Amino acid sequence: MTDMNEEIQKIKVFLDRHFSDYVRTLKELSYDSANDVYLVNSETPAFMLDKIKEFLFKSEICSADALFIGHGNFINFIEFKNGKNINNFKKNCMRSGIDSKFLYRLIMSYSDYRNIDFSEVRYRFVTVIDTGPKGVPSTGYAMALAGRISHTKAKELLSYLTPNMRDADVLGTKEYYDLVEVWSSADFDKRLKDL
């Protein structure tokens, strides 16, 4: 695990100062109310991107469920997907990823952004698929998806899941994620430790 770089520390201080009311555990943020289930059990805190969006403005844009800053050099956007609701998976993930980056830029426009070197900040978009306690996705499609895009095949994942999340026009500039990954809910806690 690497230490958080100075620029990410500045971002975290800004977010903590202005959005501390919008922090919940990743377990709470993973709650699927339609099926009354938590996708993960992590008590690690993260920012509720949906609630921050509602606080800043009313809009139909999508957002990831969580904005998480760990100990590494990434701002992490986390989207939780129950394997039972896998329809339009690719489209929803792309929209959530692109809109989340727009929302993040809007949030950061309120910061003293001239003192933050954003070129030193890396971004990761993680989709967590509910795989249940045995690590098996709950639909055939989710099972095929999880088996096809292991975390060691990032390039294949990018081309399969989110080709438009790299170099998407947001606020007049090209935006991108340095990493786009799909994790199983069964591996979430173990993978989270590496962030």
Side-chain angles (χ1 to χ4, degrees), residues 29-54:
L29 295 174
S30 76
Y31 183 66
D32 173 8
S33 58
N35 295 293
D36 192 31
V37 64
Y38 293 96
L39 276 62
V40 301
N41 292 313
S42 175
E43 296 296 327
T44 303
F47 293 94
M48 301 184 297
L49 217 44
D50 283 334
K51 296 297 181 188
I52 293 173
K53 174 187 72 177
E54 290 171 13

Side-chain angles (χ1 to χ4, degrees), residues 24-44 65 80-84 128-134 138 184-186 188-189:
R24 298 292 182 274
T25 67
L26 286 165
K27 177 180 180 174
E28 292 171 299
L29 295 174
S30 76
Y31 183 66
D32 173 8
S33 58
N35 295 293
D36 192 31
V37 64
Y38 293 96
L39 276 62
V40 301
N41 292 313
S42 175
E43 296 296 327
T44 303
D65 295 308
F80 296 100
K81 291 289 186 193
N82 190 327
K84 295 175 182 154
V128 180
I129 298 174
D130 179 26
T131 52
K134 295 184 179 180
S138 56
S184 73
S185 59
F188 183 80
D189 287 337

Side-chain angles (χ1 to χ4, degrees), residues 137-151:
S138 56
T139 67
Y141 178 76
M143 189 176 295
L145 183 64
R148 182 173 172 190
I149 49 182
S150 68
H151 67 279

Side-chain angles (χ1 to χ4, degrees), residues 5 46 48 57 87 98 104 138 141 163-164 167 170 172 174 182:
N5 76 29
M48 301 184 297
F57 60 95
N87 295 340
I98 292 169
Y104 167 77
S138 56
Y141 178 76
N164 297 326
D167 302 321
V170 177
K174 293 287 188 182
V182 175

Side-chain angles (χ1 to χ4, degrees), residues 111-130:
S111 73
D112 189 8
Y113 58 87
R114 290 177 297 276
N115 291 327
I116 299 172
D117 182 357
F118 287 99
S119 68
E120 296 294 319
V121 179
R122 298 184 69 201
Y123 301 93
R124 176 185 293 130
F125 186 84
V126 176
T127 300
V128 180
I129 298 174
D130 179 26

